Each structure stands twice: as structure tokens, then as C-alpha cells.
Amino acid sequence: MNDDMFNELLESVQQADDIIKDQATAARITEFADPEVKAIRTKTGLSQSRFANLLGVSKRTLENWEQGRRHPTGPARALLKIVDADPEYALKALHG
């Protein structure tokens, strides 16, 4: 690594530290909207129990997502996005 690259990296780390300490603001902030879980489930026509089983989560977890007490993350969020985009195909693929 040459000196220019190192100095650029060091400056970037210092900027990140300033942002964390609220001494600077981020140049851009990326936010992702939470999926509308109830609307996605409604598209499938499945009950909460069957939809939760399909996703591999408990019914209670699904209820928490639908009522906004919790938010899906990681693979569950990705799977919800797939189901939202094409419910018929997703259900067919998930049912085997």
C-alpha cells in the first residue's frame, strides 16, 4: 500500500469516527423501508399460522412483524421481498 492510499484510508476512518461521535454528519444515509408483512401475507391468501410456517418462523414472530413491534432482518427480509414480488411463484417454490 502506498502512502497516498494509506492517507486516504486514514482520513476515511477519522471521518467515520467523527460521525460516530456526532462531530460530523454523514454525506449520505441509506434507509430501507420495512416490508409491509401483513400486506405481503394477504397477497398469498394464507393464514398467519400457515404463512409463519412457510417462512420458518413462529406465529408470534409473524404477529410481532405485522404489528410493528419487531422487524424482519436478514434472510427473512429477503424471503419476504421475494414473496412480495411474485407470491404465486414463491409459494410454488417453497411448497416444493
Side-chain angles (χ1 to χ4, degrees):
M1 177 181 298
N2 65 34
D3 287 343
D4 289 338
M5 290 176 67
F6 177 79
N7 289 332
E8 187 177 325
L9 180 60
L10 181 60
E11 181 182 350
S12 177
V13 170
Q14 289 168 337
Q15 288 173 352
D17 189 48
D18 289 343
I19 292 168
I20 291 170
K21 293 178 181 176
D22 283 331
Q23 296 172 347
T25 57
R28 64 177 170 242
I29 298 173
T30 305
E31 293 184 21
F32 299 96
D34 288 324
E36 295 290 332
V37 179
K38 187 171 184 176
I40 295 169
R41 179 178 62 82
T42 301
K43 282 183 178 182
T44 67
L46 297 175
S47 67
Q48 283 183 329
S49 296
R50 291 191 66 204
F51 193 66
N53 188 42
L54 183 77
L55 296 179
V57 299
S58 71
K59 182 179 177 223
R60 187 73 181 144
T61 296
L62 182 66
E63 290 170 351
N64 285 331
W65 290 347
E66 287 188 358
Q67 295 173 9
R69 290 189 296 260
R70 299 263 187 233
H71 306 283
T73 60
R77 189 180 184 108
L79 185 54
L80 285 165
K81 189 173 183 177
I82 292 167
V83 173
D84 189 28
D86 192 343
E88 185 179 336
Y89 181 78
L91 290 177
K92 196 181 297 184
L94 291 169
H95 281 297

